[in-house]
């Protein structure tokens, strides 16, 4: 692995019947800057053009976009185009035992405020239930370093559960997915978060994207990728932990983990307690009794999009992408109906 530059196109389309009269929407579609990634460029195109559009940071450091539509419309189309430079995660040398982290976050009057503390409590999609504790417990023998316990829990979920795109809806409780031992990435993330919190350690939900490699010899399918989700656990002994650098990412869907990101082929979009904090799009609409939703996500290396650039490393000089100025983003194609995509491609855009 090495440095990567990726372009993500995330298109959301709602078709309404009858027309929506007025609407207000909130989107989390702008990737954040982290220790492992830097946002190079971002553009949000909304059709029809909104009457009002503002960007504000939320309490977790994500950027959210609020927009309102004041004229009747039968179609809403939102296209987020982002270009991100990523790098592989650094090795994490954490040895703190899980019990020590649990003790650190037990309530004590007068204890100094620690921002990781709010991620130990149950949340809407990761509720408190003995079933989560019972499942997690096998990964937490006495004295085990938290990083090893979390990796073990991740690997067990990866092994024990079946990924099935049609198996759950966005409002399917994590408890049900745990009982069925099947689900999609959001379910696996919520089960893992509920298990970690049941053991008393801070865990948060990460939304983002993953570069999926096409089969050898096959072209990359435009729009076939899905939004992705994984988990972060807090390791207070990592360097820089008091300044927010103590989060270690784990992806139970793919059994991959790393400090600050599971890998350079991952792009972090937003962080929260669970899905409901950072769903990519949610809204309040007046009218539009019925709607269909289509979502298309494409993640591509910029190198694929700029074939005239020499591949990086051909000469001992700057990486290729910085040799020539980036082209402006291409104009949006004319509006065409998106093919209906499988359920899991839609779940990330259905706000709760």
């Amino acid at each position: 692995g090495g440095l990567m530059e990726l372009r993500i196109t995330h298109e959301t389309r709602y078709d309404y019947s009858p027309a929506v009269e007025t609407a207000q929407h909130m989107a989390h579609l702008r990737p954040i800057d982290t220790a492992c990634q830097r946002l190079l460029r971002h553009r949000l195109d909304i059709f029809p053009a909104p009457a009002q559009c503002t960007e504000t940071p939320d309490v977790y450091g994500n950027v959210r976009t609020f927009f309102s539509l004041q004229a009747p419309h039968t179609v809403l189309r939102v296209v987020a185009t982002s270009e991100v430079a990523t790098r592989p995660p650094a090795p994490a040398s954490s040895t703190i035992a899980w019990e020590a982290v649990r003790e650190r976050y037990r309530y004590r009057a007068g204890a100094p405020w620690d921002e990781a503390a709010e991620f130990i409590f149950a949340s809407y999609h990761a509720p408190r239930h003995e079933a989560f504790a019972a499942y997690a417990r096998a990964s937490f023998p006495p004295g085990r370093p938290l990083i090893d316990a979390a990796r073990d829990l991740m690997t067990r979920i990866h092994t024990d559960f079946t990924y099935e795109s049609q198996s759950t809806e966005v409002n399917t409780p994590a408890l049900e997915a745990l009982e069925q031992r099947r689900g999609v990435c959001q379910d696996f993330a919520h089960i893992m978060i509920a298990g970690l919190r049941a053991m008393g350690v801070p865990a948060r939900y990460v939304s983002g994207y993953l570069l999926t490699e096409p089969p050898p010899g096959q072209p990359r399918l435009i729009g076939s990728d899905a939004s992705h989700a994984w988990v972060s656990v807090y390791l207070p002994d990592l360097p820089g932990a008091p300044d927010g650098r103590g989060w270690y990412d784990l992806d139970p869907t793919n059994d991959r983990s790393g400090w600050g990101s599971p890998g350079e082929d991952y792009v972090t979009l937003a962080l929260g307690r669970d899905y409901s904090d950072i769903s990519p799009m949610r809204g309040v609409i007046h009218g539009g009794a019925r709607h269909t939703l289509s979502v298309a996500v494409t993640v591509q290396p910029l190198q694929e999009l700029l074939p005239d650039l020499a591949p990086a490393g051909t000469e001992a000089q700057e990486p290729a992408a910085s040799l020539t100025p980036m082209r402006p983003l291409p104009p949006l194609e004319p509006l065409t109906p998106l093919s209906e995509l499988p359920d899991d491609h839609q779940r990330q855009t259905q706000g709760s």
Side-chain angles (χ1 to χ4, degrees), residues 111-199:
W113 163 246
D114 183 329
E115 66 174 21
E118 66 182 299
F119 294 100
I120 59 170
F121 301 107
S123 58
Y124 180 76
H125 287 287
R128 196 176 297 285
H129 195 282
E130 173 53 32
F132 295 118
Y135 182 78
R137 217 167 267 129
S139 296
F140 288 80
R144 187 176 210 177
L146 175 53
I147 191 171
D148 294 339
R151 284 173 180 154
D152 184 71
L153 180 59
M154 167 185 76
T155 301
R156 285 176 51 224
I157 293 173
H158 179 72
T159 305
D160 294 350
F161 287 71
T162 305
Y163 183 92
E164 264 186 28
S165 63
Q166 305 282 338
S167 57
T168 54
E169 296 293 325
V170 72
N171 48 8
T172 298
L175 200 56
E176 207 177 296
L178 176 66
E179 287 163 5
Q180 297 173 0
R181 294 290 196 270
R182 68 183 67 241
V184 295
C185 56
Q186 288 90 347
D187 302 307
F188 302 158
H190 287 138
I191 289 165
M192 185 163 173
I193 289 167
L196 289 164
R197 291 178 186 165
M199 305 309 293

Side-chain angles (χ1 to χ4, degrees), residues 187-252:
D187 302 307
F188 302 158
H190 287 138
I191 289 165
M192 185 163 173
I193 289 167
L196 289 164
R197 291 178 186 165
M199 305 309 293
V201 300
R204 68 188 185 185
Y205 181 93
V206 187
S207 70
Y209 308 101
L210 175 59
L211 175 65
T212 49
E213 283 304 321
Q218 299 293 311
R220 191 178 299 282
L221 292 173
I222 303 299
S224 66
D225 297 336
S227 301
H228 195 44
W230 60 96
V231 173
S232 248
V233 69
Y234 189 67
L235 303 175
D237 62 336
L238 285 175
D243 304 318
R245 293 282 318 277
W247 293 93
Y248 184 83
D249 286 30
L250 305 110
D251 177 9

Side-chain angles (χ1 to χ4, degrees), residues 276-312:
S276 60
D277 279 339
I278 52 173
S279 58
M281 257 187 71
R282 66 177 63 195
V284 179
I285 61 173
H286 178 234
R290 293 179 303 284
H291 74 262
T292 56
L293 167 68
S294 5
V295 178
V297 175
T298 305
V299 185
Q300 294 166 289
L302 279 181
Q303 213 57 48
E304 268 183 22
L305 297 161
L306 304 171
D308 49 326
L309 291 181

Side-chain angles (χ1 to χ4, degrees), residues 89-115:
S93 51
S94 171
T95 56
I96 191 167
W98 70 269
E99 297 99 331
V101 179
R102 180 189 65 192
E103 290 311 310
R104 185 186 175 109
Y105 291 101
R106 279 198 196 282
Y107 176 76
R108 289 187 304 284
W113 163 246
D114 183 329
E115 66 174 21

